[in-house]
Amino acid sequence: MGVITLTTDFGTSDWFVGTMKGVILSVNPSAAIVDITHELPAGDIHAGAFALTACHAFFPRGPVHVAVVDPGVGSERDAIVLRTRNHVFVGPDNGVLSLATDAQEVLAIHRIENKTLFRNPVSSSFHGRDVFAPVAAHLCRGTPIQKVGPRVKDFVKLNPPLPRAGKDSIRGEVIYVDRFGNAITNIDSRMLSGLAGSDRHIAVRGRRICELSSHYAAVAKGKPVALINSCNLLEIAVNGGSAAHRFRLNRGTIISIRAGS
Amino acid sequence: MGVITLTTDFGTSDWFVGTMKGVILSVNPSAAIVDITHELPAGDIHAGAFALTACHAFFPRGPVHVAVVDPGVGSERDAIVLRTRNHVFVGPDNGVLSLATDAQEVLAIHRIENKTLFRNPVSSSFHGRDVFAPVAAHLCRGTPIQKVGPRVKDFVKLNPPLPRAGKDSIRGEVIYVDRFGNAITNIDSRMLSGLAGSDRHIAVRGRRICELSSHYAAVAKGKPVALINSCNLLEIAVNGGSAAHRFRLNRGTIISIRAGS
Amino acid sequence: MGVITLTTDFGTSDWFVGTMKGVILSVNPSAAIVDITHELPAGDIHAGAFALTACHAFFPRGPVHVAVVDPGVGSERDAIVLRTRNHVFVGPDNGVLSLATDAQEVLAIHRIENKTLFRNPVSSSFHGRDVFAPVAAHLCRGTPIQKVGPRVKDFVKLNPPLPRAGKDSIRGEVIYVDRFGNAITNIDSRMLSGLAGSDRHIAVRGRRICELSSHYAAVAKGKPVALINSCNLLEIAVNGGSAAHRFRLNRGTIISIRAGS
């Protein structure tokens, strides 16, 4: 029994996701299908790429990860399959697969072209159902990746912003805001531990908002807190509240950390 | 392993859907349960009927489709099972099953009456849990449909609005707005292809809004676009935006198409 | 194949729940995972406890119920496993498990301490992924409960408000508002049936709003109705509308019932 994960912006108020599952089960009745999320902001490739990065390594060996954030559906954009040591990724070639594969070697890239694996006819607006679901189901059943189409050399990559480290400060930015209003930054624990001094202040728009703590409840209810989160990234939160709302944090908001004396 | 699909207005913020799944698995531990949607507007039988129509054909042969949009729960309304060549449908007899079965022969209609298949006692407010879930699970396990209750002659049908085609124009209406704000109309591709002239303009409230394209990204971001969607119906969208919001499109909004010269 | 249910406030817009499922399937590939809800208000232990109470008994014998509403994650709060005759419950020791176990004998309480069952390293912000998911998966596979950690004597209990019954009246309160705006009270059917007189009026803030009916559609659309719901509790609803909105009902709103002459 193979695992197929689904990460989309299709929402759950319509029939889109259920229909993809029907197609998957038609091809591969024993696939275990796991929803990552379907509530990505419509067309938000960066959010989809980040969600896939955050979750994919927690699945048992050999999963097929399908990510469909696909504003270009029906256009000339390519569809691809990426294979790494432990994972297979399926989606449009628009960058949505490119963060999850950042930290692992991509062993093969194939362009999805083999129409015999698709539903027929292929609609121009729902490749999740007609292309990605059946291709993933075939791959999960054991169809070799080279059957999906020709091997290609490259795929579209997002260029996520990188933090900059000075001697006694780091300047990064918010890359994701979660449902609790926690703001996840691009500053990781290794970079933080390289910062001299034990007294580390987090600032937004020149205003110090908190120090680094170990967990949310280390501060009183309603107080801001920064911690290394479960993705190993610096996260700014408010205990029992929304940091995004309180400090107007969005993707791209600059976050700086300065070590005290 | 049989498939049971669930289409309801129960939402996902409470325990209703999870409880139905518990009941299904209690009767039939190997059922594969697929959520179509649980976010139908409360009591919106038309939306439920349309969602079921749009998804059901994409499931492997023999699924049991459960649709519970049931404002009359606990009243004298009947509960029914419909059997077609490849599908079984279970739900209240209020029209919610009647669009999916429009395009296929209904081979048998049975009224659900056999209390030995129900949970006991049956509540007056949650037949999804006490009647529909266990009946579907039994049917999925192979219980013959005649066991659920007596065969009856007819069931409640919705009367969906039909488009009207003139020589050089078609007048239809919006029948569903999806999560992206795309407005799906009752005008299908066959009807459209019967329209003389290649220059086909879509108009709302007397105002031309766009021509027919092949896919969303055929127009610039923020521009309106009309296309034949994955249900084979004319759909009005805004590339990267919400057509429903932009053009105030709701179910029932009249849409006209006029062929140019 | 064992069943694991998940009740959390993680939402479905991020990757949290999908990641927990990946961890569960990594430990126990054949677990059947059922979502109860992930849309609990953030940090709302009472809502989580009530949802678990309302659903757990409808699962086949032997399920592992995981409830993660965990504002104290990473702090010194304990994590526990409870075993009753037919169920196993896993979660933080903050009361979230304590309503479901109110009506059944708790046969064993164990504190979760065995790090060999955890993911390693354990983050300070996501014990759903690193502690509760793997422990539940191990328990579902047959790991004996005593392996999770030492047996302890007690666990944190919520003190739900109790209704007070007089000779010809009952005074209770709203304990949960569902997605339809139905307000569920702490007054159960047994208490109601003890109320003399057949004419029973429900009042909020001194204002009579309706009598007791058998089902929602027993009153006209838009009218208020009270009934014994599927949890066997008095519920106040508006047929086709939201009682919570109409009568400003929240958790804690006092509800009184008075028997007529």
Side-chain angles (χ1 to χ4, degrees):
Chain A
M1 188 173 82
V3 171
I4 295 176
T5 77
L6 302 180
T7 303
T8 80
D9 65 351
F10 289 152
T12 52
S13 55
D14 307 300
W15 56 88
F16 307 136
V17 175
T19 308
M20 286 181 69
K21 293 179 183 173
V23 171
I24 289 171
L25 294 175
S26 297
V27 172
N28 184 350
S30 68
I33 307 170
V34 177
D35 300 303
I36 303 306
T37 180
H38 302 291
E39 306 290 344
L40 295 166
D44 190 336
I45 294 167
H46 279 83
F50 189 72
L52 197 56
T53 306
C55 75
H56 77 280
F58 294 89
F59 282 84
R61 182 177 279 259
V64 178
H65 302 286
V66 182
V68 192
V69 183
D70 195 11
V73 61
S75 71
E76 294 298 307
R77 70 100 184 87
D78 285 335
I80 53 170
V81 177
L82 305 179
R83 184 166 60 81
T84 66
R85 186 153 181 273
N86 291 325
H87 301 270
V88 173
F89 298 90
V90 177
D93 186 20
N94 61 14
V96 72
L97 307 179
S98 74
L99 295 185
T101 53
D102 248 12
Q104 53 191 315
E105 192 184 357
V106 176
L107 301 173
I109 313 165
H110 288 262
R111 191 162 57 220
I112 298 175
E113 287 193 354
N114 181 355
K115 291 185 167 60
T116 68
L117 302 178
F118 302 171
R119 276 196 60 88
N120 181 17
V122 172
S123 69
S124 68
S125 60
F126 194 4
H127 287 194
R129 179 190 74 187
D130 299 333
V131 175
F132 298 118
V135 164
H138 281 289
L139 290 168
C140 181
R141 268 183 77 182
T143 299
I145 186 173
Q146 52 270 28
K147 283 283 179 74
V148 306
R151 192 157 179 169
V152 294
K153 292 201 168 154
D154 211 355
F155 62 103
V156 173
K157 294 188 183 75
L158 301 177
N159 286 303
L162 296 177
R164 290 188 309 184
K167 193 167 58 95
D168 57 0
S169 70
I170 304 171
R171 187 184 150 94
E173 63 185 77
V174 174
I175 54 173
Y176 192 94
V177 174
D178 75 15
R179 99 105 159 182
F180 298 99
N182 300 331
I184 302 174
T185 75
N186 59 353
I187 300 166
D188 68 16
S189 61
R190 198 173 44 82
M191 182 171 260
L192 259 182
S193 65
L195 194 63
S198 61
D199 220 30
R200 289 167 291 186
H201 292 282
I202 284 81
V204 176
R205 297 186 193 89
R207 176 181 162 204
R208 283 187 179 192
I209 58 174
C210 60
E211 299 178 27
L212 200 64
S213 297
S214 61
H215 58 280
Y216 299 124
V219 300
K221 274 241 169 184
K223 295 291 180 196
V225 57
L227 48 73
I228 298 298
N229 75 2
S230 59
C231 301
N232 218 23
L233 294 170
L234 179 73
E235 174 178 310
I236 301 172
V238 164
N239 185 14
S242 165
H245 186 258
R246 170 91 68 89
F247 300 109
R248 291 177 293 124
L249 304 176
N250 298 300
R251 190 161 66 213
T253 302
I254 301 297
I255 303 294
S256 59
I257 307 171
R258 187 168 291 275
S261 55
Chain B
M1 186 173 83
V3 171
I4 294 176
T5 78
L6 302 180
T7 303
T8 80
D9 64 352
F10 288 152
T12 53
S13 55
D14 307 300
W15 57 87
F16 307 137
V17 175
T19 308
M20 285 181 70
K21 293 179 183 174
V23 171
I24 288 171
L25 294 174
S26 297
V27 172
N28 184 351
S30 68
I33 307 171
V34 177
D35 299 303
I36 302 307
T37 180
H38 302 290
E39 306 291 343
L40 295 166
D44 191 335
I45 294 167
H46 279 83
F50 188 73
L52 197 56
T53 306
C55 76
H56 76 279
F58 294 88
F59 282 83
R61 181 177 279 259
V64 178
H65 301 286
V66 182
V68 192
V69 184
D70 194 12
V73 61
S75 72
E76 294 297 308
R77 69 100 184 89
D78 285 335
I80 52 169
V81 177
L82 305 179
R83 184 166 60 80
T84 66
R85 186 153 181 273
N86 291 324
H87 300 270
V88 173
F89 298 91
V90 177
D93 186 20
N94 61 14
V96 72
L97 306 180
S98 74
L99 296 186
T101 53
D102 248 11
Q104 52 190 316
E105 193 184 357
V106 176
L107 301 173
I109 312 165
H110 287 262
R111 191 162 57 219
I112 298 175
E113 288 194 354
N114 181 355
K115 290 185 167 59
T116 68
L117 302 178
F118 301 172
R119 275 196 61 88
N120 181 17
V122 172
S123 69
S124 67
S125 60
F126 194 4
H127 287 193
R129 180 190 75 187
D130 299 332
V131 175
F132 298 118
V135 164
H138 281 290
L139 289 169
C140 181
R141 269 184 76 182
T143 300
I145 186 173
Q146 52 269 27
K147 283 282 178 75
V148 308
R151 192 158 178 167
V152 294
K153 292 205 168 149
D154 211 354
F155 62 103
V156 173
K157 294 189 183 73
L158 302 177
N159 286 301
L162 296 176
R164 290 188 310 183
K167 194 166 58 95
D168 56 1
S169 70
I170 303 171
R171 187 185 151 93
E173 64 185 75
V174 174
I175 55 173
Y176 191 94
V177 174
D178 75 16
R179 100 105 159 179
F180 297 99
N182 300 330
I184 302 174
T185 74
N186 59 353
I187 300 167
D188 67 16
S189 60
R190 199 172 42 81
M191 182 171 260
L192 259 181
S193 65
L195 194 64
S198 61
D199 221 30
R200 289 167 292 186
H201 292 283
I202 284 81
V204 177
R205 297 186 194 90
R207 175 182 163 203
R208 284 186 179 194
I209 59 174
C210 61
E211 299 179 27
L212 199 65
S213 296
S214 60
H215 58 280
Y216 300 125
V219 300
K221 275 239 168 185
K223 294 291 178 193
V225 58
L227 47 73
I228 298 298
N229 76 1
S230 61
C231 301
N232 218 24
L233 294 171
L234 179 73
E235 175 178 309
I236 301 172
V238 164
N239 185 14
S242 164
H245 185 258
R246 171 90 69 89
F247 301 108
R248 289 176 295 125
L249 305 176
N250 298 299
R251 191 161 65 213
T253 302
I254 301 297
I255 303 294
S256 58
I257 307 170
R258 186 168 293 273
S261 55
Chain C
M1 187 173 82
V3 171
I4 294 176
T5 77
L6 302 179
T7 302
T8 80
D9 64 353
F10 288 153
T12 53
S13 56
D14 307 300
W15 56 87
F16 307 136
V17 174
T19 307
M20 285 181 69
K21 293 178 183 174
V23 172
I24 289 170
L25 294 175
S26 297
V27 172
N28 184 351
S30 69
I33 307 170
V34 177
D35 300 303
I36 302 307
T37 181
H38 302 290
E39 307 291 342
L40 295 166
D44 191 336
I45 294 167
H46 279 83
F50 189 73
L52 196 56
T53 307
C55 75
H56 77 278
F58 294 88
F59 282 84
R61 182 177 278 259
V64 178
H65 301 287
V66 182
V68 192
V69 184
D70 194 13
V73 61
S75 72
E76 294 297 307
R77 68 102 184 88
D78 285 334
I80 53 171
V81 176
L82 306 178
R83 185 167 59 82
T84 65
R85 186 152 182 273
N86 292 324
H87 300 271
V88 173
F89 297 91
V90 178
D93 186 20
N94 61 15
V96 72
L97 307 180
S98 74
L99 295 186
T101 53
D102 248 12
Q104 52 190 315
E105 193 184 356
V106 176
L107 301 174
I109 312 165
H110 288 262
R111 191 162 57 218
I112 298 175
E113 287 192 355
N114 180 355
K115 290 186 168 59
T116 68
L117 301 178
F118 302 172
R119 275 196 61 87
N120 181 17
V122 172
S123 69
S124 68
S125 61
F126 194 5
H127 287 194
R129 181 191 73 187
D130 299 333
V131 175
F132 298 117
V135 165
H138 281 290
L139 290 169
C140 181
R141 268 184 76 183
T143 298
I145 187 172
Q146 52 269 28
K147 282 282 178 75
V148 307
R151 192 158 180 168
V152 293
K153 290 201 169 154
D154 210 355
F155 62 103
V156 174
K157 293 188 182 73
L158 302 177
N159 286 303
L162 295 178
R164 291 189 309 184
K167 194 167 57 93
D168 57 0
S169 70
I170 305 171
R171 186 184 151 93
E173 65 185 74
V174 173
I175 55 173
Y176 191 94
V177 174
D178 75 15
R179 99 105 160 181
F180 298 99
N182 300 331
I184 302 174
T185 75
N186 59 352
I187 301 166
D188 68 15
S189 60
R190 198 173 44 81
M191 182 170 261
L192 259 182
S193 65
L195 194 62
S198 61
D199 219 31
R200 288 168 292 186
H201 292 283
I202 284 83
V204 177
R205 296 184 194 92
R207 177 182 161 204
R208 284 186 179 193
I209 58 173
C210 60
E211 300 179 26
L212 199 65
S213 297
S214 61
H215 58 280
Y216 300 124
V219 300
K221 274 241 166 183
K223 294 291 179 194
V225 58
L227 48 73
I228 298 298
N229 76 2
S230 60
C231 301
N232 219 24
L233 294 171
L234 179 74
E235 174 178 310
I236 301 172
V238 163
N239 185 14
S242 166
H245 186 259
R246 171 91 69 88
F247 301 109
R248 290 177 293 126
L249 304 176
N250 298 299
R251 189 161 66 213
T253 302
I254 301 297
I255 303 294
S256 59
I257 307 171
R258 186 168 292 274
S261 56

